[in-house]
């Protein structure tokens, strides 16, 4: 059965939250496999995944690999199963936030993001947005998504419309500034 990626524009934030809750990821942080090696996999700065030099283009494969991704204590990345841990090269961040939906206004606003892996993330206390100097969204367990340029522009435009100092937006009860905090 083919997987259809979510269309944020067609979903309410309640529906998005239900999809987020329903997604069960493997407990990669609980796995400590005896075997390790190199996966031959690289995630380029633009968010494209490569395996042994070839582009990973099948969405289902990218989604499966992304669910096995773990950030190690030393800052490196691994693909982890109960049997083995394989290193993976990440040039910038492992994910790209490719779509955003905003619902509500001011402190009642919620921002949902769809990643290039088709995962959905609602920004808030557990999924912060920070500038480095580009904006990144915390996905899970030390894994971050860089906001794609159009998504960042949409975020910034909404923040500027609210005319707050510093510019920024609320999501799920937390304020995320995009300008200098004084």
């Amino acid at each position: 059965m083919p997987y259809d990626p979510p269309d944020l524009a067609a979903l309410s934030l309640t529906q998005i939250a239900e999809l987020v809750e329903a997604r069960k990821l493997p407990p990669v942080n609980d796995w400590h496999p005896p075997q390790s090696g190199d996966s031959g996999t690289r995630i380029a700065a633009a968010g494209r995944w490569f395996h042994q030099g070839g582009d990973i283009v099948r969405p289902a494969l990218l989604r499966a690999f992304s669910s096995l991704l773990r950030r190690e204590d030393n800052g490196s990345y691994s693909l982890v199963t109960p049997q083995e841990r394989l290193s993976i090269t990440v040039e910038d961040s492992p994910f790209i936030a490719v779509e955003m939906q905003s619902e509500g206004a001011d402190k009642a606003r919620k921002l949902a993001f769809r990643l290039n892996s088709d995962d959905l993330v609602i920004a808030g206390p557990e999924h912060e947005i920070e500038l480095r100097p580009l904006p990144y969204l915390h996905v899970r367990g030390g894994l971050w998504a860089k906001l794609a340029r159009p998504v960042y522009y949409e975020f910034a435009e909404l923040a500027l419309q609210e005319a707050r100092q510093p510019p920024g937006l609320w999501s799920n009860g937390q304020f995320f500034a995009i300008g200098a905090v004084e």
Side-chain angles (χ1 to χ4, degrees), residues 96-99 135 145-154:
I96 305 291
V98 295
E99 187 179 357
K146 180 170 46 177
L147 271 62
R149 188 179 308 255
V151 174
Y152 175 56
Y153 288 163
E154 184 179 356

Side-chain angles (χ1 to χ4, degrees), residues 25-97:
L25 294 169
V28 296
N29 290 326
D30 295 337
W31 293 340
H32 305 287
Q35 297 179 10
S36 62
D38 181 19
S39 70
T41 305
R42 174 177 64 90
I43 304 172
R48 291 180 51 197
W49 290 54
F50 297 89
H51 180 68
Q52 296 180 345
D55 201 353
I56 299 174
V57 295
R58 290 183 42 213
L61 190 56
L62 181 119
R63 188 169 168 80
F65 279 166
S66 71
S67 71
L68 298 174
L69 189 61
R70 177 172 80 189
R71 182 102 189 244
E72 303 294 343
D73 291 339
N74 66 4
S76 66
Y77 296 87
S78 298
L79 294 172
V80 183
T81 69
Q83 292 77 32
E84 64 184 341
R85 178 176 54 89
L86 301 173
S87 64
I88 180 171
T89 301
V90 177
E91 292 179 357
D92 184 3
S93 66
F95 303 107
I96 305 291

